[in-house]
Structures are given as structure tokens and as C-alpha cells.
């Protein structure tokens, strides 16, 4: 395809996607109606978006199961949720290593034992692997590769598989936190390994969406394609402030709000931040050579 024509197609496709198909507004009242007294299993609750999700879910009256790998962080977040008004009886913390895929079922079993059921799943845990794959030998180690794919792919599959029967009883919903690098090949700060594991995650859950639709299952799935989100952890690393331009990044508060709204609107996918996500998709689809020229992947994420 002609290079200039590709750019024109990317532009004219991006504009209507961004301007003409806005996200529906979801009110606080709607969120309360959908989340109050609902049992929400939140993995990866001890970092970034997960912590903010815990606070926002609690604010709308959800009963929370917080799953993470750091007992210290889980304890702090649990106390933070309680201090915001959630009764102790409505919050339950589970310390779990998601590389131990074979016993992922235990997380769901403990949730159901505690609260008697499960309404919503937020599959949010993640193993970040920064750096270029070919330049860092430890990333190429087969044991390390296996660990990353266990946490970033296989554990999500197993968690969804074991949660599904309980979600079907409640007409429930899954939100799978993934990345824009699971839809567009990226390298550099995200690493080839991280991007490939997210491609696997997206491929599985987009396919599972269609299988559930074909089965007329009451359970729906949203795959979250996240770009650069300014989290508490990043604020410690970048003491001088957010290194990305405003439109290229989003706050963890807005990201978490978007996840909550997905439990009302139930979209197939959620892109955040919206504009850079759509722009990167269109550039990748129509003018992939432009990514190489501009090094968008290296500079933006």
C-alpha cells in the first residue's frame, strides 16, 4: 500500500473512533447499583492499578478478595480499605504466588468459602520484564521464560477457568488487565518477552469471549489494553514527575474508574489511555513502517 495513503487511512480511521464513538457515561449511582454487596476477586491487588481498584471498589460497597504476592502491601491496602469505611468482614486477603499455576484454583475456592459465591473477577496480576530480549541473557533463560508465561498467561487462564462456574450463577463479568503491547508488537521498555506474553493473553481471552457468546453464556469478558499509566510505583522511580507527555499517559485513578465502568457497560475491550491507544493501533495496522521510522514503540511506552 502507498505510504502516504496508509497515513491518510490511519488518520481518517482514528478520528471517528476517538470522536464519534465516545465511551458511555456511567454515573456513581450506576456503579453503586452494580457493585454494592457484590463479591469481587481482585488479583494483583498489591500494586499500581490494583491498589487503586481496591479503594474504588470499596467505595462502591463491594465485598473484596484481595490477592497479591506481598503480605506487607496487602496488609497496608487492607487497612486502607477498612479506614475508608469497609467493614472488616467484607474484605479478605490472600497471599499467593501466581507462578504456582497448579493451585490457582485455591484462590477461587477460598473466595467462595469466605463469601459464598463470586460476582466479578478482575484478573490483574502481572510479571513485568523490562529491557530488550536479545541484550539481556537472563530473559532468555528457559526457566525464566516459563515463569513469566506462567504468571502472565497460564495463571490468568486457570483463574478464569475455575471462576467461570461461579460467575455463570451470578451473570458475572471478567475484566482481564492486559496491555497495548499485547495488540501491537513493542520492544524496549516493555521487552519482547513481556509483549509476547500479552499477545498470548489477548489471543486467549478474545477467543474465549467468542466461545462464551456462542454458548450463550451469561458471563462476559472485557480485555483491558493499557498503555502508560502513571502509578504510585512510577512516581517513586521518576521523582521529577511523569516523563511522558500528558496525552500519552493516564492516571491510575482514571484507569481504575474505567475498569469499574466496564462492569456496567461490559465492552469487549477497553483502551486506556484512549487516544494514544487508538493512534498506535492505526499506525501499526496501516503504516507499520512508520513505527520503525519514528521509533514510537521505544519512545512512548
Amino acid at each position: 500500500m502507498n505510504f502516504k495513503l496508509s497515513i491518510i487511512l490511519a488518520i481518517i480511521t482514528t478520528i471517528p473512533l476517538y470522536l464519534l464513538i465516545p465511551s458511555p457515561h456511567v454515573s456513581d449511582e450506576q456503579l453503586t447499583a452494580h457493585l454494592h454487596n457484590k463479591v469481587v476477586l481482585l488479583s494483583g491487588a498489591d500494586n499500581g492499578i490494583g491498589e487503586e481498584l481496591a479503594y474504588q471498589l470499596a467505595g462502591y460497597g463491594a465485598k473484596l478478595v484481595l490477592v497479591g504476592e506481598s503480605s506487607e502491601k496487602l496488609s497496608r491496602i487492607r487497612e486502607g480499605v477498612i479506614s475508608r469505611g469497609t467493614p472488616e468482614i467484607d474484605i479478605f486477603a490472600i497471599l499467593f504466588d501466581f507462578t504456582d499455576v497448579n493451585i490457582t484454583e485455591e484462590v477461587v475456592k477460598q473466595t467462595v468459602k469466605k463469601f459464598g459465591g463470586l460476582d466479578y473477577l478482575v484478573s490483574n496480576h502481572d510479571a513485568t520484564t523490562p529491557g530488550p530480549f536479545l541484550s539481556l541473557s537472563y530473559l532468555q533463560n528457559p526457566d525464566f521464560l516459563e515463569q513469566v508465561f506462567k504468571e502472565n498467561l497460564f495463571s490468568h487462564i486457570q483463574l478464569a477457568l475455575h471462576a467461570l462456574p461461579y460467575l455463570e450463577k451470578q451473570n458475572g463479568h471478567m475484566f482481564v488487565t492486559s496491555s497495548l503491547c499485547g495488540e501491537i508488537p513493542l520492544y524496549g521498555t516493555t521487552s519482547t518477552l513481556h509483549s509476547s506474553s500479552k499477545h498470548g493473553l489477548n489471543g486467549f481471552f478474545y477467543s474465549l469471549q467468542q466461545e462464551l457468546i456462542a454458548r450463550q453464556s451469561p458471563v462476559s469478558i472485557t480485555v483491558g489494553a493499557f498503555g502508560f499509566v502513571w502509578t504510585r510505583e512510577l512516581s517513586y522511580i521518576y521523582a521529577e514527575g511523569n516523563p511522558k507527555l500528558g496525552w500519552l499517559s493516564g492516571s491510575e485513578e482514571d484507569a481504575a474508574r474505567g475498569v469499574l465502568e466496564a462492569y456496567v457497560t461490559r465492552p469487549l475491550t477497553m483502551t486506556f489511555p484512549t487516544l494514544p491507544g487508538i493512534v498506535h493501533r492505526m499506525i501499526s495496522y496501516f503504516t507499520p513502517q512508520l513505527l520503525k521510522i519514528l521509533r514510537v514503540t521505544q519512545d512512548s511506552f
Side-chain angles (χ1 to χ4, degrees):
M1 183 181 293
N2 180 274
F3 184 73
K4 291 183 179 179
L5 178 59
S6 297
I7 295 177
I8 293 172
L9 285 173
I11 293 172
I12 64 176
T13 306
T14 299
I15 292 174
L17 281 174
Y18 183 68
L19 297 178
L20 303 181
I21 315 177
S23 299
H25 174 71
V26 177
S27 68
D28 289 340
E29 290 76 15
Q30 287 176 293
L31 286 175
T32 299
H34 279 78
L35 294 171
H36 186 69
N37 282 332
K38 300 296 185 181
V39 179
V40 182
L41 171 53
L42 170 60
S43 68
D46 52 348
N47 277 301
I49 299 173
E51 179 175 354
E52 180 62 28
L53 275 167
Y55 298 143
Q56 291 196 25
L57 285 164
Y60 291 103
K63 296 179 179 180
L64 294 176
V65 178
L66 307 178
V67 187
E69 298 182 346
S70 169
S71 58
E72 181 180 349
K73 289 182 178 179
L74 281 177
S75 178
R76 175 178 57 79
I77 294 166
R78 180 181 181 276
E79 292 304 315
V81 170
I82 292 172
S83 70
R84 287 165 168 79
T86 298
E88 289 190 40
I89 195 173
D90 287 344
I91 183 169
F92 182 50
I94 300 175
L95 187 65
F96 194 81
D97 179 2
F98 275 101
T99 61
D100 199 348
V101 176
N102 291 330
I103 59 172
T104 305
E105 183 180 7
E106 287 302 312
V107 173
V108 177
K109 284 184 175 180
Q110 290 185 49
T111 298
V112 175
K113 182 179 179 179
K114 169 67 176 177
F115 290 115
L118 177 61
D119 295 287
Y120 300 130
L121 170 65
V122 187
S123 201
N124 179 65
H125 56 282
D126 172 73
T128 302
T129 55
F133 182 72
L134 294 179
S135 300
L136 299 173
S137 59
Y138 79 92
L139 294 177
Q140 304 164 29
N141 183 286
D143 292 334
F144 186 82
L145 286 167
E146 183 179 4
Q147 294 296 95
V148 170
F149 275 84
K150 279 182 175 180
E151 183 157 357
N152 281 1
L153 177 57
F154 303 140
S155 62
H156 287 274
I157 293 173
Q158 290 299 311
L159 189 60
L161 176 66
H162 295 299
L164 185 58
Y166 300 101
L167 293 172
E168 287 188 324
K169 293 178 182 179
Q170 302 299 122
N171 296 327
H173 184 71
M174 300 183 199
F175 190 101
V176 181
T177 302
S178 187
S179 171
L180 192 61
C181 75
E183 302 193 6
I184 301 170
L186 300 176
Y187 66 96
T189 55
T190 58
S191 97
T192 299
L193 179 56
H194 190 257
S195 182
S196 61
S197 68
K198 294 301 183 181
H199 269 75
L201 185 68
N202 288 10
F204 177 84
F205 280 99
Y206 282 134
S207 299
L208 185 60
Q209 282 176 344
Q210 300 307 309
E211 186 170 344
L212 291 175
I213 291 170
R215 292 180 55 183
Q216 297 184 330
S217 170
V219 176
S220 51
I221 300 174
T222 298
V223 177
F226 287 90
F228 189 89
V229 179
W230 183 246
T231 63
R232 292 173 177 84
E233 288 76 12
L234 287 177
S235 68
Y236 302 144
I237 297 173
Y238 299 101
E240 296 181 356
N242 189 341
K244 305 297 182 184
L245 294 174
W247 74 278
L248 286 174
S249 66
S251 70
E252 62 183 359
E253 293 83 6
D254 289 342
R257 173 75 184 205
V259 174
L260 266 60
E261 291 184 356
Y263 284 90
V264 178
T265 60
R266 301 196 177 200
L268 295 180
T269 188
M270 168 199 162
T271 302
F272 183 87
T274 306
L275 181 56
I278 292 175
V279 169
H280 276 76
R281 277 195 183 99
M282 293 306 103
I283 290 176
S284 177
Y285 295 158
F286 291 113
T287 60
Q289 64 269 41
L290 191 60
L291 291 177
K292 181 178 180 180
I293 295 171
L294 300 178
R295 301 293 297 273
V296 174
T297 54
Q298 185 87 13
D299 298 334
S300 299
F301 293 89

